[in-house]
């Protein structure tokens, strides 16, 4: 697929993950969300799709997390709120919400500079 659009968003949230059976102290991050969509061709207006259509979907998925304790926020009240799990959740929630002509390729979740988890169709 020759065209790719990327949408970046951020949200601030706290979490305390369990590592090797031990729960770490609650702490916060400014989480970076990158969503990449791909498609084979442009429409009659020379667009893969409208950036704003993707932004609205991403904003809707991450809105419950902003300024929240992820450990108390679904689905992470039942799941370890790791960056990997957040990336998978965002991807699985968005996959059927993409505008016509665009396919969700990957979701990246960064919890700190240089620390990013990726979930998607291919990891290239």
């Amino acid at each position: 697929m020759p065209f790719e659009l990327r949408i970046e968003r951020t949200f601030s949230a706290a979490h305390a993950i369990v590592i090797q059976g031990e729960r770490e102290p609650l702490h916060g991050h400014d989480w970076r969300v990158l969503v990449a969509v791909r498609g084979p061709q442009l429409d009659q207006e020379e667009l893969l799709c409208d950036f704003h259509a993707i932004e609205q979907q991403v904003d809707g998925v991450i809105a419950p997390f902003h300024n929240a304790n992820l450990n108390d926020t679904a689905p992470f009240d039942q799941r370890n709120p790791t960056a990997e799990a957040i990336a998978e959740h965002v991807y699985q929630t968005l996959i059927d919400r993409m505008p016509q002509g665009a396919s969700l390729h990957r979701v990246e979740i960064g919890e700190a500079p240089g620390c990013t988890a990726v979930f998607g169709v291919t990891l290239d």
Side-chain angles (χ1 to χ4, degrees), residues 26-76:
L26 183 67
H27 61 282
H29 296 284
D30 289 325
W31 301 84
R32 183 184 62 85
V33 180
L34 184 140
V35 173
V37 301
R38 288 185 174 179
Q41 60 192 18
L42 303 180
D43 65 16
Q44 69 277 6
E45 296 175 324
E46 300 293 320
L47 296 168
L48 175 59
C49 65
D50 184 354
F51 278 107
H52 299 300
I54 301 167
E55 288 173 328
Q56 288 177 332
Q57 294 300 324
V58 173
D59 289 347
V61 173
I62 65 173
F65 304 150
H66 190 60
N67 292 326
N69 175 347
L70 295 179
N71 297 80
D72 295 336
T73 307
F76 304 106

